[in-house]
Amino acid sequence: MSVAINLQQVNLQFRHYAKPTEVLLEWLLRKPRHQVFHVLQDINLSLEQGGSLGVVGDNGAGKSTFLRVLAGNLPISSGICEIKGKRSALLELGSGLQPEATGIENIRLGLALRGLTAKQVEIYLPQVESFAELGDFIHRPLKQYSSGMMVRLGFAIATVIEPDILIIDEALSVGDQYFQKKSLDRMQAILHKGASLVFCSHNLYQVRELCQQAIWLEKGRIRMHGCAQQVVDAYQDAVRARQAHIKPSFQVTHQGQPSLLDVILLDGKVFTTQQRFSVQVTFDRAGYEAQNVHVGVVIRRNDDIQCYGISTLHDKVELDSSSQISQVRFVLDQLPLLSGEYCLEVWLIDETGLHVFDARERCCHFRVQQQDQTQGIGLSWMAHRWEVEAVT
Amino acid sequence: MNTHALYSSLGLAWQLLRRDLHERHAGMLLGTWWWLVQPLILLGLYTWVFGAVLQLRFAPHDVSNNFSYAHYLFAGLVVFNAFSEVLTRAPTCISDRRDLLLNTPLPLWILPLLPVASSIVLEWLGLAVLVGVLLISGHASWSLIWLYWPLLLVRLVLSLAASYSLACLGVFLRDLRQIMPAFLTVLLFITPILYPLHSVPADYRAWYDWNALGHLVQAYRSMLFEANLKAALLMSLLFLASVLLGFAALLFQILAPRVRFAL
């Protein structure tokens, strides 16, 4: 397999000038008159042909800049950036589209920008039109489009030419469910044909599903690079850890949302079947009434099977109303789970059970061991008895 | 650059030009007719003020002159309008496409071609009207068909030089877009377009030799009304324009990598 993307020690600095004229003065006077911003630093990465790379990170971490570099829109300041094959990018919402032009005109322009000759443009035009499914809107100027329609058009233009490298920024999440499904299918189809994909999204689930590897960008550097599952988990953990460190102040809390502060297992991380199991959840009601905030706990096995889930709402448990920050413990005196790797999902929900204030997925990993097979096989010990009688 | 890349770049320039021409008058009552209406209104105004009121004549010595003040004026305006199209559009042609430049691999060098391309459209529309009038009155010479191209070449090289230098400077000197309309008014009056060169007092005549646009306008008129190609003049104009274009290209090459920082 050949390498599609090869980045070595890529740095990207952006110069900030107080006024446009300063650029001219700097050239004439030969003296620096700018501040330097390091947008990307020391990026080393290689992606094989047919591989897929997810990009995660906070806002301002350099994700969009990174994608622009891959798309060839931004020249790097130093390092090696080799990209083989036709590439096509769908960057932030509406970028590269002309608001005054109609859908058709934007398709023509977008395809020409991706290196198609006038003849090729006319060949692909109907395909883009039918994929975008915009009906009569295709003849109207883009300023009349909703953001979802804009994404449809942008995605259709970016993917119609079946690039060797497809670069997609978070834009997709704006589309409706139908089009999201359609575009994910299209991306997967392009991947199956041997193209490479670089995908950036705040929808970490999609990153995990679609990408083999992932990078986590932080302040312009790669903080972690590895298999998508691991990187996404690590990133999620870091985000949660940061959220937990934010101490609630009472002036703000009544405007904020209830949030989970801490979830811990009280009896260690390795259990034996029938042993006591308890988890302690600390949460902040953020000014909401005690009867309007409920805690749900779900136990999952590592193959994603939901073993059991229940909430204080369904069990009609009254939570403490004396302070904003309260604790609740979920206790199983005799853990019925059989051997396996498990983790928890903890939810903070409202009194209808529909609205989720806060959630932690895949936290508190724990293992269950069995003493021996006498406790049975499968997922869980079930209360049972045998009835024996003779047949005459 | 390989041929495919060049081809697709030109295709891209074509798409941008189409948009540009269409967008200019889109949604207006007269639409694309503005391309003709605007110059014709000015032509009528100038003809009345300078031809009828001030009684200016372009060829007083020629007894059997078939051409009126309006003819000469229109010939001059065709060149001037084409040139002013370049001078007014060039300073903003890069910053207007900020979004495309930052978000797509749009090659920067294409953009200064657009004002020049639309100036050709403008010039051809004007010439079509003028030659149409000449044909009807039976004064058009068939030799115009080949006499025209050397003039267009000189005009284009000069326009390209102006467009490339103004386009990159306009990114950094935002004042240029304000200065240009005023400069064009000055240029219109210091160039013998509204009045004939021979009506200029001898004391000032020497200054007029420095005005390349004035020479070009004269060359267009000789071509249109006398079917006469001023070859020597055109060669020297072409030489001058090529040198200017060389400087413009150099300037563009130096400033192009810095454009991103000022957008």
Side-chain angles (χ1 to χ4, degrees):
Chain A
M1 283 244 220
S2 64
V3 174
I5 297 176
N6 179 26
L7 302 180
Q8 279 175 36
Q9 285 162 4
V10 166
N11 285 294
L12 192 131
Q13 286 132 29
F14 201 83
R15 298 187 197 171
H16 180 74
Y17 293 85
K19 278 184 294 183
T21 346
E22 301 279 310
V23 185
L24 216 55
L25 284 175
E26 180 182 85
W27 170 57
L28 291 171
L29 304 175
R30 315 256 153 205
K31 256 190 191 167
R33 301 173 74 90
H34 60 257
Q35 283 173 285
V36 172
F37 288 96
H38 297 276
V39 191
L40 293 178
Q41 279 177 287
D42 199 26
I43 305 282
N44 293 292
L45 182 78
S46 83
L47 184 69
E48 287 189 338
Q49 182 73 46
S52 51
L53 177 78
V55 182
V56 298
D58 298 339
N59 290 333
K63 297 191 299 289
S64 294
T65 312
F66 177 70
L67 293 192
R68 283 205 173 102
V69 167
L70 292 184
N73 303 345
L74 261 181
I76 56 173
S77 308
S78 66
I80 301 173
C81 173
E82 291 170 332
I83 290 163
K84 291 203 191 85
K86 237 180 355 178
R87 46 193 153 166
S88 184
L90 176 64
L91 297 177
E92 287 144 68
L93 180 61
S95 66
L97 298 173
Q98 302 286 292
E100 294 290 328
T102 65
I104 293 279
E105 285 167 328
N106 267 297
I107 297 174
R108 286 213 174 95
L109 186 61
L111 292 178
L113 278 167
R114 285 173 172 81
L116 264 60
T117 61
K119 238 186 226 166
Q120 292 170 313
V121 167
E122 297 308 316
I123 298 170
Y124 284 112
L125 187 69
Q127 291 181 35
V128 180
E129 248 187 282
S130 71
F131 189 83
E133 293 184 66
L134 289 170
D136 282 344
F137 266 90
I138 202 88
H139 299 289
R140 294 209 211 158
L142 238 69
K143 55 187 176 186
Q144 299 179 5
Y145 282 34
S146 69
S147 48
M149 296 164 97
M150 214 111 81
V151 171
R152 282 179 175 226
L153 188 69
F155 186 85
I157 295 173
T159 56
V160 72
I161 51 176
E162 300 199 346
D164 301 317
I165 301 171
L166 182 62
I167 300 158
I168 304 278
D169 203 345
E170 18 207 333
L172 269 190
S173 45
V174 182
D176 52 31
Q177 290 296 322
Y178 165 73
F179 195 75
Q180 272 197 28
K181 167 102 180 73
K182 190 169 165 181
S183 46
L184 284 173
D185 288 348
R186 177 76 159 244
M187 273 152 76
Q188 242 145 9
I190 291 176
L191 266 172
H192 283 312
K193 281 184 189 161
S196 318
L197 173 75
V198 179
F199 182 61
C200 169
S201 178
H202 283 295
N203 187 336
L204 298 174
Y205 173 77
Q206 284 181 352
V207 172
R208 215 164 13 204
E209 286 297 299
L210 218 57
C211 304
Q212 301 151 350
Q213 22 169 339
I215 57 169
W216 168 10
L217 282 178
E218 193 177 66
K219 291 176 187 154
R221 293 173 182 273
I222 293 184
R223 164 133 178 214
M224 190 176 169
H225 178 197
C227 104
Q229 177 77 51
Q230 281 169 0
V231 174
V232 168
D233 284 348
Y235 174 64
Q236 265 180 329
D237 285 344
V239 172
R240 282 180 205 131
R242 207 173 31 191
Q243 279 171 348
H245 279 116
I246 301 170
K247 285 265 185 276
S249 95
F250 283 93
Q251 255 110 29
V252 211
T253 41
H254 66 275
Q255 292 158 347
Q257 285 254 331
S259 60
L260 290 164
L261 297 178
D262 201 14
V263 181
I264 47 168
L265 293 175
L266 293 175
D267 308 294
K269 291 194 163 196
V270 183
F271 297 85
T272 312
T273 309
Q274 301 292 355
Q275 197 192 327
R276 179 189 149 96
F277 171 94
S278 59
V279 54
Q280 176 174 291
V281 179
T282 315
F283 62 97
D284 179 357
R285 279 193 286 118
Y288 279 69
E289 295 293 324
Q291 71 261 26
N292 293 342
V293 182
H294 291 274
V295 175
V297 174
V298 178
I299 302 176
R300 268 185 196 277
R301 201 162 69 178
N302 61 348
D303 54 1
D304 257 5
I305 287 179
Q306 269 189 2
C307 307
Y308 187 65
I310 193 69
S311 73
T312 55
L313 173 69
H314 299 97
D315 279 344
K316 302 194 172 59
V317 177
E318 265 184 47
L319 294 175
D320 168 64
S321 60
S322 59
S323 93
Q324 288 292 323
I325 297 173
S326 14
Q327 273 180 351
V328 61
R329 276 185 293 280
F330 172 69
V331 184
L332 297 168
D333 285 321
Q334 290 182 312
L335 180 72
L337 294 174
L338 299 181
S339 68
E341 301 277 339
Y342 299 87
C343 64
L344 295 182
E345 254 171 46
V346 180
W347 303 83
L348 208 54
I349 52 180
D350 71 352
E351 76 282 3
T352 62
L354 295 174
H355 182 72
V356 177
F357 294 121
D358 195 6
R360 302 236 177 140
E361 291 170 71
R362 291 166 215 273
C363 65
C364 300
H365 292 263
F366 62 95
R367 194 148 47 106
V368 177
Q369 294 168 337
Q370 275 170 253
Q371 268 143 6
D372 47 51
Q373 291 291 358
T374 57
Q375 285 173 315
I377 55 164
L379 181 68
S380 163
W381 183 86
M382 295 190 182
H384 62 273
R385 62 197 161 89
W386 299 93
E387 290 181 349
V388 182
E389 60 190 75
V391 183
T392 47
Chain B
M1 191 188 291
N2 61 34
T3 32
H4 179 85
L6 186 68
Y7 240 59
S8 66
S9 293
L10 290 178
L12 181 56
W14 168 238
Q15 298 293 354
L16 288 170
L17 180 68
R18 254 169 73 161
R19 280 283 332 126
D20 201 35
L21 296 182
H22 182 254
E23 205 164 89
R24 200 98 60 96
H25 302 298
M28 294 188 193
L29 193 60
L30 291 177
T32 20
W33 287 102
W34 276 113
W35 283 95
L36 276 177
V37 172
Q38 222 165 1
L40 285 177
I41 290 174
L42 281 181
L43 177 72
L45 180 71
Y46 292 145
T47 307
W48 184 69
V49 175
F50 296 98
V53 177
L54 295 175
Q55 294 283 314
L56 283 177
R57 288 290 170 269
F58 265 92
H61 311 301
D62 194 353
V63 192
S64 64
N65 185 20
N66 300 311
F67 307 108
S68 70
Y69 175 82
H71 284 108
Y72 280 92
L73 174 66
F74 196 55
L77 279 181
V78 165
V79 187
F80 180 81
N81 285 341
F83 207 67
S84 78
E85 166 81 8
V86 175
L87 295 194
T88 44
R89 313 271 310 173
T92 58
C93 74
I94 290 179
S95 37
D96 279 352
R97 294 188 175 73
R98 178 181 187 279
D99 178 58
L100 280 184
L101 281 170
L102 293 183
N103 292 311
T104 64
L106 175 67
L108 194 66
W109 63 267
I110 284 184
L111 296 179
L113 294 177
L114 299 178
V116 180
S118 59
S119 82
I120 298 178
V121 177
L122 204 61
E123 177 169 326
W124 284 352
L125 279 171
L127 283 179
V129 172
L130 183 57
V131 172
V133 170
L134 292 182
L135 278 174
I136 291 167
S137 61
H139 299 303
S141 156
W142 285 113
S143 55
L144 291 185
I145 291 170
W146 61 268
L147 285 176
Y148 170 63
W149 303 105
L151 287 163
L152 181 67
L153 175 70
V154 175
R155 214 274 291 164
L156 286 186
V157 177
L158 203 59
S159 303
L160 283 173
S163 189
Y164 272 90
S165 40
L166 287 174
C168 57
L169 285 174
V171 177
F172 308 107
L173 300 169
R174 300 288 162 114
D175 319 51
L176 268 182
R177 62 193 69 173
Q178 308 297 328
I179 296 171
M180 274 305 144
F183 172 75
L184 280 167
T185 312
V186 174
L187 190 65
L188 177 66
F189 283 98
I190 62 167
T191 309
I193 291 171
L194 300 172
Y195 50 87
L197 185 60
H198 57 71
S199 69
V200 176
D203 298 352
Y204 302 114
R205 199 73 68 83
W207 290 104
Y208 280 79
D209 290 340
W210 292 96
N211 188 342
L213 183 62
H215 290 298
L216 192 61
V217 167
Q218 295 298 352
Y220 265 81
R221 282 174 176 155
S222 324
M223 180 269 296
L224 284 164
F225 303 130
E226 297 151 33
N228 174 10
L229 200 64
K230 295 186 165 175
L233 174 71
L234 281 180
M235 287 307 284
S236 47
L237 276 179
L238 185 61
F239 176 72
L240 173 75
S242 311
V243 172
L244 288 177
L245 182 58
F247 278 119
L250 195 66
L251 187 70
F252 188 78
Q253 220 169 8
I254 291 169
L255 292 180
R258 297 161 205 264
V259 160
R260 188 171 288 281
F261 304 126
L263 278 179

